[in-house]
Amino acid sequence: MDYKPIDLSPPRVSEEAVDAVSTVLRSGWLTQGPRTTEFEKAFSDYQGHSLPGMAVNSGTAALHLAVILAGIGSGDEVIIPSLTFAAAGEVLLREGATPVFAEVDPQSGNLDPAAVEAALTAKTKAVMPVHLGGYPAEMTALRRICDAHGLYLIDDCAHAVETRHRGGWAGSLADASAFSFYVNKNLTTGEGGMLLSPHEDWLERVRRLRLHGMDHDAWNRYAADGRPGYDIVEQGYKYNSTDIASALGLAQLKRIEENYARRAELAAAYDKALTGLPGIELPPRPAEDSTDRHAWHLYVIRITEDCPLSRDELALALRRMNTATAVHYHPMHLMRLYRERLGGREGQLPITERLARERLTLPFCAAYEPATAVEVTRRIGITLTG
Ligand SMILES: Cc1ncc(COP(=O)(O)O)c(C=O)c1O
């Protein structure tokens, strides 16, 4: 039987977004300029920040700059989860620091504050959580630990545009919050990122670091009231964004809550359809009476030992039915680089490793109707019953 392909998370791009990008393309100014300034302000307004964000060309760039701003370098340790994307470890190694992997909560997969405390040493300089799949990390407890030990809190908000913790937006809870606008993210600019911070001096430094350490950018040089020429005041990077990306970002931001509501509806449809299938555990939700909000970036089920198939067998069977799935994530400490450099080994983080064996990300995005959840579940049902 032929199954219609179901991709993992195709982006939802409105006609308004297409028009906004076309307008930039026709404007004669494609790189970082007025649309980027507008996007930086609009995004930080949405996150409840008084200081505008700094747009960059990826979430990895935002994380890297956050690490540099915190002065993290050789000899420093930074506590991170292993159940996250490669970028977190990579930017630390790049600066000569050591990622220290701490265990996660068995439900959410987010950093367990008690495990963070147990991992502290005299060399610890920062804690870097992630809101896995959009589920809020324990930011209050992590902040308390950081304050008690004089550490920086650097928040990987790649999945967390609409996440709230105790009523506060994810981007307002740390010394630096790094967002990704990669193609599968809740807000996408194709490639892109944004750094938010309450530290004005950090943001001013990002302004220089993201563009070769220049004292003012190209728009400031060529605009009618701009100042020609530039000085290089420190060694920088080529991490700036473009007005093409920012126009797309502004259009996506206008629909952020509408798209969030669609994904929340899709999550509810999955919950309902999947209930009762053997060995399938539904994703956790914040308690009804809490002010936390799950951003529903990913919809992740767990395939437990009561399931007739293993996670990998189920994923393969679904692939044969033209249904994409993914694993978020294969643990970082077991990747070759980390085994070789840091001695990562099986059994080091039992909860992380179990979750990594059991978790399966299903097709999920704002472009899908609840009927997609019903169809994916039908295919899972067929697979499980042979
Ligand atoms: C948790 C997490 N952190 C960081 C990143 C890096 O973002 P980017 O791909 O925009 O560099 C990603 C991207 O997939 C991510 O999922």
Side-chain angles (χ1 to χ4, degrees):
M1 180 178 168
D2 277 349
Y3 288 93
K4 193 169 151 257
I6 304 181
D7 291 340
L8 193 65
S9 58
R12 184 174 191 226
V13 178
S14 65
E15 282 309 306
E16 196 186 354
V18 174
D19 289 346
V21 170
S22 303
T23 302
V24 171
L25 293 176
R26 293 195 185 96
S27 74
W29 191 270
L30 307 189
T31 189
Q32 182 185 302
R35 288 289 81 73
T36 302
T37 307
E38 210 183 313
F39 181 40
E40 291 172 335
K41 167 92 175 63
F43 189 78
S44 91
D45 282 352
Y46 174 76
Q47 290 284 327
H49 258 274
S50 53
L51 300 171
M54 286 286 139
V56 288
N57 55 16
S58 73
T60 307
L63 268 185
H64 187 198
L65 292 173
V67 166
I68 291 167
L69 291 160
I72 291 165
S74 186
D76 294 330
E77 293 179 355
V78 177
I79 300 173
I80 63 171
S82 172
L83 201 64
T84 189
F85 184 61
E90 175 181 40
V91 296
L92 295 171
L93 292 181
R94 184 61 61 203
E95 291 308 305
T98 304
V100 172
F101 300 110
E103 198 50 289
V104 295
D105 176 86
Q107 290 303 317
S108 68
N110 284 328
L111 267 185
D112 173 356
V116 168
E117 258 187 307
L120 293 171
T121 73
K123 293 182 183 168
T124 309
K125 180 98 181 211
V127 178
M128 203 153 94
V130 65
H131 308 270
L132 192 63
Y135 192 95
E138 289 294 337
M139 296 304 284
T140 310
L142 295 177
R143 176 90 262 174
R144 208 176 299 124
I145 294 170
C146 288
D147 288 349
H149 297 273
L151 311 175
Y152 287 113
L153 184 55
I154 297 176
D155 200 3
D156 183 344
C157 287
H159 299 179
V161 173
E162 309 95 331
T163 297
R164 290 171 76 92
H165 171 69
R166 306 224 174 147
W169 294 99
S172 66
L173 305 170
D175 292 292
S177 310
F179 290 86
S180 164
F181 304 141
Y182 180 62
V183 67
N184 67 346
K185 297 298 187 279
N186 297 354
L187 185 160
T188 183
T189 60
E191 299 280 358
M194 181 87 72
L195 192 78
L196 298 180
S197 172
H199 307 304
E200 203 161 1
D201 54 332
W202 285 26
L203 294 170
E204 266 320 300
R205 195 158 169 231
V206 173
R207 196 183 290 289
R208 297 194 298 272
L209 286 176
R210 70 180 169 182
L211 195 67
H212 306 294
M214 288 177 185
D215 62 349
H216 60 300
D217 66 23
W219 178 254
N220 281 316
R221 298 201 300 278
Y222 293 104
D225 56 352
R227 181 163 51 95
Y230 56 83
D231 194 10
I232 302 288
V233 294
E234 66 175 315
Q235 184 188 324
Y237 302 85
K238 178 62 177 168
Y239 279 172
N240 65 284
S241 184
T242 68
D243 269 16
I244 303 172
S246 297
L248 183 50
L250 276 164
Q252 294 247 326
L253 190 59
K254 276 197 193 138
R255 298 201 171 212
I256 195 81
E257 288 296 320
E258 177 192 323
N259 286 337
Y260 167 75
R262 283 180 63 110
R263 292 196 313 281
E265 200 186 347
L266 190 63
Y270 264 126
D271 278 7
K272 186 165 169 228
L274 289 163
T275 297
L277 286 182
I280 293 196
E281 265 192 31
L282 303 181
R285 288 171 172 269
E288 289 275 325
D289 59 349
S290 90
T291 49
D292 283 8
R293 187 206 230 186
H294 188 334
W296 292 115
H297 168 51
L298 304 173
Y299 187 88
V300 182
I301 55 174
R302 276 173 49 208
I303 312 304
T304 68
E305 54 199 20
D306 297 333
C307 184
L309 298 180
S310 72
R311 188 273 311 278
D312 289 344
E313 287 166 342
L314 176 58
L316 182 62
L318 287 170
R319 179 141 36 104
R320 291 192 175 126
M321 296 165 106
N322 275 330
T323 313
T325 61
V327 174
H328 291 92
Y329 287 94
H330 296 290
M332 209 186 306
H333 71 283
L334 296 180
M335 300 283 176
R336 195 165 97 195
L337 174 69
Y338 294 90
R339 285 179 188 266
E340 288 176 359
R341 272 232 212 147
L342 303 177
R345 56 176 174 75
E346 311 274 349
Q348 181 181 338
L349 297 166
I351 300 172
T352 297
E353 291 166 32
R354 178 164 59 77
L355 290 181
R357 276 194 306 275
E358 293 182 349
R359 284 165 59 91
L360 185 68
T361 304
L362 298 183
F364 190 73
C365 65
Y368 286 146
E369 303 282 342
T372 302
V374 174
E375 175 56 19
V376 171
T377 306
R378 189 180 74 84
R379 295 181 190 185
I380 293 174
I382 293 170
T383 307
L384 295 187
T385 53

